[in-house]
Amino acid sequence: MALQQHGPRIVVVYSQRPPGNPQGHESTSQNRIAARVAALLDCAYGGEYDAAAQYDLPLYFVPRETISDAAQAARLGVRNEHDLFGGVVPQPYVASKVITHPLPLTNCAAPAAWSHAFGQQVHDVVLPGYSAFSREDALRAGRALLKQGAVRIKLASGIGGSDQSVAADLAVLEQQIGALDEAQLRLGVVLERNLNDVVTHSVGQVRIGRQVASYCGIQHVTRSNAGKEVYGGSDLLVANGDFEALMALPHAPEVSTAVAQACAYHRAALACFPGLMASRCNYDVAQGTDDSGVWRSGVLEQSWRIGGATGAELAALTAFQADPSLRVVRACTTERYGGAAPPPDAEVYFNGVDPYVGAITKYTRTMPYAHP
């Protein structure tokens, strides 16, 4: 049974700006994800969106990034979450991790239409921290956090753990904040309690046509060809239905905590950012101990666009489409560097040489579900 809704469409990839590495693993994977979405919807796949083209059917968009211009979304014909796989935010800053924490002081520098209410609503489900948009405010926030231990510094533009550093004392904090340029500061910097022995949970939901799936899982790290620790994939437990269906499954206590925190963050975002649309949402939840030995759990950031776990999300939707009585599946995504061969049962999204990162293989698998 197809998931098609609102009649036949053409599924297209939408880029707000030309991809910087069109032959690379990210762009190639995104194109294949869009083709997979088209198959789920039983619609034609039209490749990259061409504003000058005359399309014979209405369009369904798969944005490479969260659409950060509501007016542009309206011009494209994106009216609600059934018109895209991804998200639309009312202001650009809402798509970044800076929304997770409040300002050091209410009168600090901030983007226009900054939501003070969101930081208040998610205070209990995130790590202690602040967002800052000036050097002075970042230093103020960092000094306050250092009183309880090391501080993690994250740029708003960082993805997958990139553009992050840790300051354990004031000298290092001042050096790292001093090294930021004005353009980085304008986009924002996050300063939050650093955790040790971290486990990162992924909690999210996808909606395509009439089908809804919600999931929780664990992220893995791997070594890039340069020897750096990077994202290596996600193992997901996916429920056929809304977040309530996911929460009804048996979970370890720490997993239940992560799911509840992500759901609270999700509800607060919808309440505090009018105009937010998201048919794909993912929330990273970090759990670990701080320098005082206190175990903490908190949402780090949101993603309202296709991401590293999307291959597994679509694999689960495919399984639910094939068997509507199926309530739960396990699915995983894997990213390996150095030319590793994928397993025979894998759905491969990229297997080749990226011009920038070298040999990399990305694939998805589904596995039977058994109650723990």
Side-chain angles (χ1 to χ4, degrees), residues 43-218:
C43 292
Y45 173 53
E48 189 78 25
Y49 170 68
D50 182 355
Q54 296 293 322
Y55 292 96
D56 297 331
L57 294 170
L59 300 180
Y60 179 100
F61 292 88
V62 181
R64 296 189 189 276
E65 300 175 333
T66 306
I67 299 178
S68 56
D69 184 337
Q72 175 62 11
R75 287 192 291 270
L76 292 171
V78 176
R79 298 154 296 177
N80 55 51
E81 63 185 22
H82 295 295
D83 295 325
L84 84 167
F85 184 69
V88 178
V89 293
Q91 291 89 27
Y93 85 88
V94 180
S96 79
K97 56 177 66 71
V98 298
I99 68 168
T100 299
H101 297 293
L103 305 174
L105 298 171
T106 56
N107 61 348
C108 289
W114 175 262
S115 173
H116 294 283
F118 184 74
Q120 295 170 356
Q121 291 194 24
V122 301
H123 177 270
D124 293 335
V125 299
V126 303
L127 302 176
Y130 299 98
S131 291
F133 298 87
S134 74
R135 207 175 310 276
E136 179 183 359
D137 293 339
L139 287 170
R140 177 185 290 113
R143 292 188 190 108
L145 290 167
L146 275 175
K147 295 176 182 178
Q148 283 77 44
V151 177
R152 181 167 293 272
I153 303 167
K154 306 189 293 189
L155 296 183
S157 57
I159 297 175
S162 64
D163 294 322
Q164 297 189 16
S165 59
V166 177
D169 57 51
L170 183 57
V172 175
L173 174 76
E174 292 177 343
Q175 185 274 325
Q176 293 180 354
I177 297 300
L180 302 179
D181 62 39
E182 292 302 319
Q184 292 170 324
L185 288 165
R186 282 195 297 272
L187 289 176
V189 58
V190 170
L191 301 98
E192 68 186 8
R193 174 73 56 244
N194 184 60
L195 299 183
N196 306 299
D197 302 319
V198 175
V199 173
T200 303
H201 297 261
S202 292
V203 181
Q205 187 175 99
V206 286
R207 294 175 178 267
I208 297 180
R210 292 182 294 271
Q211 186 72 59
V212 181
S214 303
Y215 63 84
C216 59
I218 297 291

Side-chain angles (χ1 to χ4, degrees), residues 212-237:
V212 181
S214 303
Y215 63 84
C216 59
I218 297 291
Q219 293 184 16
H220 300 289
V221 296
T222 189
R223 294 285 177 181
S224 71
N225 292 316
K228 295 183 178 180
E229 197 171 78
V230 296
Y231 176 76
S234 299
D235 292 340
L236 304 184
L237 175 67

